[in-house]
Amino acid sequence: MNQLRSTDFGQYGKLNLIFEKKGSFDVVYFGSSRTAFHFDPRIIDSIANVNSCNMGITATNDVVSLAAIKTYLSNCEIKPKVIVVNFDFFLWDNQNINDVNSSIPRFIPYIYNPILYNSLASLDPSYAKLKYANFFSFTYLTDYFYYELYRGLVNHEIGRDEEFKSRGFQTVPYQQKIENFQTSRNNEIICISEKQIIATKQIFTLLKNENIKLIPVVTPIFKSYSFTNSDNELFERLKEICYEFELNCFNYSNKKYCQEKNNFFDEIHLNNKGLEKFNIDFANDLVQILSQK
């Protein structure tokens, strides 16, 4: 575990940037894969003249994002001026939010962290046995995990590590063209995850108390993605939270480039072409935001 926490490349290089390193960035981005894959500090910094870092964690939710933000702020050398959070409101209806077993192995090296542990345990109580009876962790460690450990020990990078760029930015695993986007959505109000909504409010409250400017963002979504009644209700919940804290929600899902399929990897992730358009768009907005007193 100590070896993985000292790895500087690949998946654990990214997680160590969040949970182990002492950051000193002006702007930091948090969220799920729609953060990890969408905010390229190299483009944004060149336009907005800032020093930023992407702390998005793929295949997670706002409960984990809250833990990541708290951990970063507790470790950082210089408190950021701005924190950008992409909120996946259309996943707040996820009835399987407690089923995080597939994510357990990658977080085991950081189970000692009380902030992360408490957030993960709120999603899945099985984390308690991983913390207090470490031998249970072996039941979750797949061959992939041991391969990661071996690579860390011998300092051996592989081709996929090229997905992890500088300052936390990641590229989507494959960039080949996808002919048919398919999203199966049930158009009815289903179980809303209050855990995610509570975590979202806590993010807003935390950053207000820390006197850090929060920029809530909804990154681009391809036009074919069919929002359900539940999605629309949850988007209203997000806007209500923004209104309560007197913040604008920067919604990029209705931009012109969201109408063009050749800008997307899949319905909710941009490809390289769309990524550049979004980053230029966001960077120009960031310039305006930072110029406001």
Side-chain angles (χ1 to χ4, degrees):
M1 298 306 169
N2 289 334
Q3 177 61 48
L4 288 174
R5 288 196 296 267
S6 63
T7 299
D8 292 325
F9 59 85
Q11 175 182 208
Y12 281 97
K14 172 68 179 281
L15 292 175
N16 291 334
L17 187 65
I18 300 168
F19 296 111
E20 294 292 312
K21 302 295 179 65
K22 296 183 181 295
S24 57
F25 301 97
D26 303 322
V27 180
V28 187
Y29 314 98
F30 289 94
S32 65
S33 62
R34 286 174 32 79
T35 295
F37 297 152
H38 283 166
F39 293 91
D40 187 344
R42 296 168 299 181
I43 299 175
I44 297 170
D45 293 5
S46 67
I47 297 172
N49 193 29
V50 295
N51 178 27
S52 68
C53 187
N54 189 321
M55 301 288 189
I57 307 175
T58 60
T60 53
N61 53 53
D62 292 314
V63 177
V64 178
S65 292
L66 173 62
I69 294 171
K70 284 183 176 180
T71 301
Y72 179 80
L73 293 180
S74 69
N75 291 337
C76 65
E77 292 182 336
I78 300 175
K79 190 164 64 173
K81 299 175 183 177
V82 175
I83 284 182
V84 180
V85 182
N86 177 77
F87 291 103
D88 295 328
F89 66 90
F90 52 92
L91 299 179
W92 287 353
D93 63 4
N94 185 0
Q95 298 182 76
N96 297 318
I97 185 173
N98 295 330
D99 183 16
V100 292
N101 288 338
S102 61
S103 299
I104 283 179
R106 60 179 169 164
F107 291 122
I108 288 175
Y110 316 100
I111 204 71
Y112 71 92
N113 181 315
I115 298 172
L116 178 63
Y117 166 74
N118 289 334
S119 292
L120 295 175
S122 73
L123 296 175
D124 188 336
S126 67
Y127 274 94
K129 63 185 179 183
L130 298 182
K131 181 177 182 180
Y132 298 107
N134 290 338
F135 59 87
F136 278 112
S137 65
F138 289 100
T139 64
Y140 295 96
L141 303 185
T142 63
D143 289 344
Y144 179 80
F145 181 90
Y146 288 111
Y147 185 48
E148 288 272 346
L149 178 59
Y150 166 77
R151 290 170 53 225
L153 285 169
V154 300
N155 195 33
H156 176 62
E157 298 184 46
I158 60 174
R160 187 167 182 181
D161 293 324
E162 295 180 2
E163 297 169 15
F164 296 85
K165 305 299 183 180
S166 62
R167 285 177 287 164
F169 172 62
Q170 292 174 245
T171 57
V172 290
Y174 308 100
Q175 286 289 344
Q176 75 266 28
K177 185 177 181 180
I178 298 177
E179 295 296 336
N180 297 306
F181 295 158
Q182 295 182 351
T183 304
S184 177
R185 304 284 288 174
N186 192 356
N187 193 25
E188 61 182 22
I189 302 295
I190 60 178
C191 178
I192 294 175
S193 171
E194 289 295 336
K195 288 182 180 179
Q196 293 211 66
I197 294 176
I198 291 171
T200 297
K201 290 183 178 179
Q202 289 178 337
I203 291 172
F204 277 73
T205 301
L206 171 65
L207 298 185
K208 180 180 180 180
N209 292 340
E210 292 282 345
N211 197 29
I212 297 173
K213 187 171 186 62
L214 168 63
I215 303 179
V217 170
V218 177
T219 53
I221 302 170
F222 185 53
K223 65 178 182 178
S224 70
Y225 192 90
S226 56
F227 286 110
T228 66
N229 293 334
S230 179
D231 294 331
N232 294 327
E233 178 182 316
L234 293 171
F235 189 37
E236 290 301 316
R237 296 284 289 272
L238 175 59
K239 290 192 291 186
E240 288 171 4
I241 297 172
C242 290
Y243 179 79
E244 178 184 346
F245 286 84
E246 300 180 331
L247 294 172
N248 292 326
C249 180
F250 287 79
N251 180 13
Y252 294 89
S253 66
N254 54 5
K255 295 292 185 177
K256 183 177 179 180
Y257 44 82
C258 293
Q259 307 294 315
E260 302 169 2
K261 188 175 182 180
N262 61 357
N263 289 321
F264 285 83
F265 166 73
D266 59 25
E267 286 190 310
I268 61 175
H269 296 99
L270 294 163
N271 60 20
N272 289 335
K273 181 179 179 181
L275 176 73
E276 183 175 2
K277 294 178 181 179
F278 164 67
N279 276 264
I280 293 172
D281 203 5
F282 174 78
N284 287 323
D285 285 341
L286 182 60
V287 170
Q288 295 299 317
I289 294 168
L290 294 176
S291 68
Q292 299 170 1
K293 295 183 179 180

